[in-house]
Amino acid sequence: MPLAESLSLDLAMARVGFGRYAAYPIASAAGIFTNVVFGLMRGSILLALFAQRERIGAYDASATLTYVWLTQGLLNVVAMWGWQDLAIRVRTGDIATDLIRPIHPLRAALAADYGRAAYQLLVRAVPPILVGIVIFRTSLPPSPVAWLAFAVSLTLAIAVSLGFRFVYNVAAFWTTDHRGAMILALVVMSVFSGFTIPIQFFPPWLAAIASATPFPSMIQTPVDVWIGALSGSSLVGALVAQLAWAAALLGLSYGLFARGTRRLVIQGG
Amino acid sequence: MGDVRDLPELYVRLVAARIRAQLQYRASFAMETFGTLLVSFIDFVAILVIFANVPQLGSWSMPEVALLYGISGLAFAITDLILGHLDDFPRLVRDGNFDLLLVRPRGTLFQILTGDFQLRRLGKATGGLIVLAYAFSQLNVAWDPGRVIVLVLAIPAATAIFASVWIATICVAFWAVEGREASNAFSYGGQFLAQFPINIYDTWLRRFLAYLFPVAFVAYFPALYILAKPDPLGLPDWLRFMSPLVAALALVVAGRVWAIGVRHYQSAGG
């Protein structure tokens, strides 16, 4: 397939991913409301720590508030609460249709996920971040380079997140019940990504475990880039780690998917 | 509207059937129960991490916050077990299938509550119990009959408060069916709020989510009594005994809101 034609397929998939979420504006408004209420609570809780000390790692009170409103915005962009589209398609047998399409299901999923993420970024992430900026005077990335680095980091974070989600969805090829795997995955992701609480707050041994996993690449890295906790060589290192995790997880997804389809039996007729 | 005296028996019979069905798939049942157990610990990990950095949070110690977390977590798990599937009911409204409930000879809420029952949610209750046991092992509570009664009543009262908040706010679906996620801010949000001392929250957040939606009565006030702790907010002492009363009142209000919602329900056209 020529490159231009192949890229237009990706774009079409992304548009579909975007449109699927854009169809429910009231649901988005309700979701934003919930994200903001949780932001208010998380902000109060974490600020209470700074009544007793000036800073924890690179975080002072102001950086922590920025962290709270940014994570409340980004949690939907990186699909913190999971994704089971592929697993459901495997269970129902709809995956058979995907297999005869001219675009590999992993690539289709990645393209559609960027469309989904674009919608979530515009509609679900911007409002909580604005609430933070307007009401709580949270900060913006300190320089144009930091903005650019944030854009790159978030783009990679989505790929890492999709790679991870694809892996636990592929479990559906081997078990009729993928929900258990998904729940376990969500628990690990929400703690080790730094979403529940910044990794800088972890005791050193727990922070070391987190750093050895792909999860900080999904939330903590883009947030640290935004608040300026990463710069120079540590910034480059973090972006390279994201790229490596994205490649590793997407590669693993590809391999597992190939094995899964070999043992796939579609019922019906 | 049928005979209300047979409701408890009918409830047990319908729920028992659901449980039998779920136990047919032992492996997935075990895995999902274990999963919900872990989910119930996520916020506790945050608490552990917070106290690795500071000795106190809003003048509450780690075991004291664990007590709030345990009461709130256990009660919310029971609520979730009884009516967590209420989150699925907006689909009935969207598809117009709520009509079916209206023509049957039992209350609509009763039918929804018996329409599903996920036993795996017991995993969450185990998490709450473990944290509660930890809290009491660290705290030197001067147990007397008064404290035992306050604790024993706190769990059903907190369950009723969570249930009322959930029922009242999910009613948003009768007006805007796609807006149902807004109820999460109060149901899951209420649980999140209750597991920390309410004196650390902003004034308006506290007025709205702790008093208007009476989440402060879930764990904060009973815990103050059990711990014989001075209220950092300086509120009157008698509030510490009000949880059961507030819970009863909340149930009445939630029932009224549900009735108004049902009256407002218009079937899907077409």
Side-chain angles (χ1 to χ4, degrees):
Chain A
M1 199 183 317
L3 184 66
E5 191 182 326
S6 143
L7 283 178
S8 78
L9 269 179
D10 289 333
L11 206 61
M13 286 308 296
R15 222 175 275 132
V16 168
F18 188 99
R20 222 181 110 190
Y21 286 83
Y24 304 101
I26 294 174
S28 295
I32 291 165
F33 173 76
T34 301
N35 292 152
V36 168
V37 171
F38 269 89
L40 293 171
M41 292 192 278
R42 296 181 66 214
S44 287
I45 294 162
L46 292 181
L47 268 192
L49 273 87
F50 294 93
Q52 296 164 73
R53 50 187 294 183
E54 278 289 296
R55 56 195 311 119
I56 300 171
Y59 284 71
D60 56 8
S62 147
T64 303
L65 271 184
T66 306
Y67 156 88
V68 166
W69 290 101
L70 196 53
T71 48
Q72 284 307 107
L74 294 184
L75 74 97
N76 293 295
V77 179
V78 299
M80 182 60 67
W81 306 139
W83 174 82
Q84 46 181 341
D85 294 14
L86 176 74
I88 288 171
R89 292 185 76 77
V90 170
R91 205 185 54 202
T92 57
D94 288 343
I95 191 74
T97 324
D98 301 338
L99 287 169
I100 54 173
R101 290 195 175 132
I103 177 168
H104 189 279
L106 175 59
R107 185 171 158 181
L110 187 62
D113 205 55
Y114 272 113
R116 179 199 62 75
Y119 176 79
Q120 305 282 31
L121 183 66
L122 284 174
V123 176
R124 297 293 297 271
V126 169
I129 293 172
L130 276 179
V131 167
I133 291 169
V134 173
I135 300 178
F136 297 95
R137 298 168 184 280
T138 59
S139 56
L140 292 167
S143 64
V145 176
W147 271 110
L148 183 67
F150 174 74
V152 173
S153 181
L154 187 60
T155 305
L156 290 170
I158 295 159
V160 176
S161 157
L162 179 87
F164 177 65
R165 284 178 275 141
F166 206 91
V167 167
Y168 68 66
N169 272 259
V170 168
F173 281 116
W174 285 272
T175 161
T176 49
D177 173 54
H178 63 275
R179 284 180 44 95
M182 187 176 83
I183 294 170
L184 295 181
L186 293 188
V187 171
V188 177
M189 181 169 163
S190 79
V191 172
F192 287 117
S193 65
F195 170 72
T196 307
I197 194 159
I199 290 170
Q200 303 231 12
F201 290 26
F202 286 14
W205 61 272
L206 194 61
I209 295 178
S211 316
T213 69
F215 304 108
S217 291
M218 302 175 191
I219 283 278
Q220 192 68 62
T221 305
V223 170
D224 282 348
V225 172
W226 178 293
I227 67 171
L230 289 171
S231 57
S233 61
S234 66
L235 172 62
V236 176
L239 295 180
V240 170
Q242 281 188 299
L243 186 63
W245 279 119
L249 287 169
L250 291 173
L252 182 62
S253 294
Y254 186 84
L256 287 174
F257 187 83
R259 287 181 74 107
T261 48
R262 274 203 293 281
R263 69 191 301 285
L264 176 68
V265 178
I266 304 282
Q267 307 288 342
Chain B
M1 241 319 144
D3 192 341
V4 291
R5 276 169 307 178
D6 72 346
L7 287 184
E9 192 202 330
L10 196 56
Y11 181 84
V12 170
R13 232 199 304 165
L14 290 167
V15 166
R18 305 269 167 207
I19 292 173
R20 274 198 304 278
Q22 283 156 38
L23 292 178
Q24 300 305 308
Y25 303 91
R26 302 254 168 194
S28 56
F29 175 76
M31 194 158 168
E32 290 185 12
T33 306
F34 182 64
T36 53
L37 171 70
L38 287 183
V39 170
S40 71
F41 275 115
I42 293 180
D43 292 333
F44 195 64
V45 170
I47 291 173
L48 290 173
V49 171
I50 286 171
F51 282 100
N53 290 285
V54 288
Q56 300 228 306
L57 192 71
S59 78
W60 289 67
S61 72
M62 160 87 199
E64 289 174 342
V65 174
L67 175 60
L68 297 175
Y69 185 95
I71 294 175
S72 150
L74 180 58
F76 190 77
I78 300 170
T79 311
D80 192 34
L81 188 66
I82 299 170
L83 51 72
H85 41 285
L86 201 57
D87 276 354
D88 299 327
F89 120 85
R91 217 180 32 224
L92 297 177
V93 173
R94 194 187 57 204
D95 302 341
N97 286 332
F98 194 76
D99 292 9
L100 295 175
L101 306 193
L102 291 170
V103 297
R104 290 188 193 138
R106 290 293 180 278
T108 45
L109 201 50
F110 179 81
Q111 292 180 60
I112 289 170
L113 297 193
T114 53
D116 191 8
F117 190 90
Q118 294 294 333
L119 194 60
R120 66 182 146 83
R121 292 182 174 137
L122 268 183
K124 240 186 227 180
T126 319
L129 271 176
I130 291 170
V131 174
L132 206 51
Y134 161 81
F136 284 127
S137 75
Q138 299 295 307
L139 294 162
N140 276 318
V141 177
W143 288 110
D144 58 23
R147 292 199 166 80
V148 173
I149 293 171
V150 167
L151 177 66
V152 168
L153 289 180
I155 303 297
T159 304
I161 291 170
F162 281 141
S164 309
V165 170
W166 208 326
I167 292 168
T169 55
I170 199 79
C171 285
V172 70
F174 285 117
W175 281 268
V177 70
E178 302 296 345
R180 62 142 295 268
E181 201 191 326
S183 85
N184 288 3
F186 304 95
S187 54
Y188 298 96
Q191 185 220 2
F192 189 79
L193 188 99
Q195 62 200 11
F196 289 92
I198 63 158
N199 57 294
I200 63 176
Y201 297 112
D202 287 331
T203 318
W204 277 102
L205 186 62
R206 197 161 57 226
R207 283 181 189 155
F208 192 57
L209 253 178
Y211 307 146
L212 181 64
F213 288 86
V215 172
F217 293 88
V218 164
Y220 184 79
F221 289 125
L224 284 176
Y225 181 76
I226 293 167
L227 299 168
K229 194 178 167 65
D231 188 345
L233 294 166
L235 296 167
D237 281 353
W238 53 265
L239 285 171
R240 300 172 182 201
F241 307 103
M242 288 296 112
S243 295
L245 198 68
V246 169
L249 196 67
L251 279 178
V252 172
V253 172
R256 292 292 306 147
V257 174
W258 179 266
I260 294 169
V262 171
R263 223 175 306 138
H264 187 271
Y265 168 72
Q266 291 168 319
S267 190

